[in-house]
Amino acid sequence: MILSIKNLSVNYGLIPAIRNLSMEVGQGETVALIGANGAGKTTILRAVSGLIKLASGSVVFDGQDIARLKSHLIVRRGMSHVPERRGIFANLTVYENLLMGAYIRKLLPGDLDEVYSLFPILLERKKQIAGTLSGGEQQMLAISRALLSKPKLMLLDEPSLGLAPQITKSIFSIIQKINKAGTTVLLVEQNAQAALKISHRGYVLEVGEITHTDTSEALLTNDAVRKAYLGDH
Ligand SMILES: Nc1ncnc2c1ncn2[C@@H]1O[C@H](COP(=O)(O)OP(=O)(O)O)[C@@H](O)[C@H]1O
Ligand SMILES: [Mg+2]
């Protein structure tokens, strides 16, 4: 297991958001964490990557307990978080945003070529101000920036948010490609269908607790999951 979360609880003030949650991500896997708006998906990713405090529990990443480590140190250990709404620097160019992604290491000549070959549009738009890109292009930029830190594990928070189905499809196929090239992926999504299609296993989150976990294939055909998350009635 590259990531092992045990008995995680997170509160906002007195209100519990995550209760005693355990989940794991194996080396090389793409794991989907699906659930409705407000279920606690973002909270889990923020807790794992050191952006918010845990009330209790442990988070072991690549053999080390990181539960109380600062987020920039977690990035250095090889975890990279693509936040909800992408977190790009809207006033900087595409190229400047990419340089930010490499801040923990020296950029090697082939590194940018690698992301430009995944997302050729970013090479074309290299000098464009990032805030003027389309939603899909901004998501591509956010993923590219995360890749430039050469992560072992990439956390993706709702990459499909606000994107047309066709754009979602193309971004998800690139996420799959990134995983096949060796990066482990934890993918948080409201779009259960799209996420389960490209993942190996999945967890279903409901108000701060895991209610189902199985292979993605099994979740896609599970009646309760289909009813609640895949638009079957
Ligand atoms: N900064 C915050 N302060 C207080 N409550 C929050 C905060 N962020 C999220 N919450 C609450 O925690 C719950 C989980 O939110 P979140 O993790 O954003 O869910 P999801 O990403 O699944 O939509 C929700 O009830 C939300 O209102
Ligand atoms: Mg969220």
Side-chain angles (χ1 to χ4, degrees):
M1 290 297 151
I2 190 164
L3 180 70
S4 180
I5 303 170
K6 288 217 174 75
N7 306 115
L8 173 70
S9 296
V10 182
N11 303 329
Y12 290 112
L14 294 174
I15 301 167
I18 302 298
R19 282 180 230 101
N20 215 27
L21 175 140
S22 298
M23 61 181 287
E24 296 186 315
V25 180
Q27 177 84 46
E29 280 188 306
T30 293
V31 171
L33 173 62
I34 61 174
N37 190 24
K41 306 179 297 299
T42 295
T43 301
I44 295 171
L45 291 195
R46 291 176 62 81
V48 166
S49 61
L51 296 169
I52 49 175
K53 276 197 182 149
L54 327 186
S56 58
S58 72
V59 180
V60 175
F61 171 57
D62 202 20
Q64 302 258 339
D65 190 342
I66 58 161
R68 270 133 207 106
L69 218 55
K70 293 236 157 60
S71 61
H72 68 277
L73 297 174
I74 296 175
V75 177
R76 282 184 192 277
R77 285 179 186 274
M79 187 191 296
S80 170
H81 182 171
V82 182
E84 198 173 58
R85 301 180 199 286
R86 293 131 202 171
I88 61 167
F89 299 97
N91 299 322
L92 300 184
T93 64
V94 167
Y95 179 70
E96 288 163 342
N97 267 276
L98 290 173
L99 294 188
M100 296 285 191
Y103 77 95
I104 65 162
R105 46 184 285 282
K106 201 167 146 34
L107 203 58
L108 300 173
D111 290 346
L112 282 173
D113 297 339
E114 230 172 88
V115 304
Y116 290 147
S117 83
L118 279 176
F119 300 113
I121 189 82
L122 296 182
L123 178 57
E124 271 173 50
R125 300 284 163 95
K126 180 173 158 175
K127 292 183 181 156
Q128 189 170 323
I129 297 296
T132 66
L133 296 171
S134 72
E137 289 159 359
Q138 291 189 15
Q139 188 61 55
M140 293 173 193
L141 178 57
I143 293 172
S144 298
R145 199 180 54 184
L147 273 178
L148 285 170
S149 71
K150 301 269 175 194
K152 295 176 188 141
L153 172 66
M154 191 183 275
L155 312 177
L156 289 158
D157 196 348
E158 303 227 31
S160 80
L161 196 74
L163 305 184
Q166 214 42 46
I167 311 288
T168 297
K169 210 169 160 192
S170 80
I171 285 177
F172 275 42
S173 96
I174 287 168
I175 294 170
Q176 201 168 25
K177 205 162 157 186
I178 290 168
N179 174 247
K180 284 192 174 136
T183 307
T184 304
V185 175
L186 175 55
L187 172 62
V188 155
E189 264 298 337
Q190 267 189 78
N191 187 339
Q193 180 90 30
L196 292 174
K197 271 195 190 148
I198 64 153
S199 54
H200 302 100
R201 290 189 305 116
Y203 291 87
V204 178
L205 184 71
E206 274 174 33
V207 272
E209 287 175 300
I210 303 288
T211 54
H212 297 82
T213 179
D214 211 328
T215 63
S216 298
E217 216 179 339
L219 290 174
L220 276 167
T221 55
N222 177 301
D223 279 345
V225 173
R226 292 197 67 87
K227 267 198 179 129
Y229 299 102
L230 300 168
D232 275 17
H233 298 287

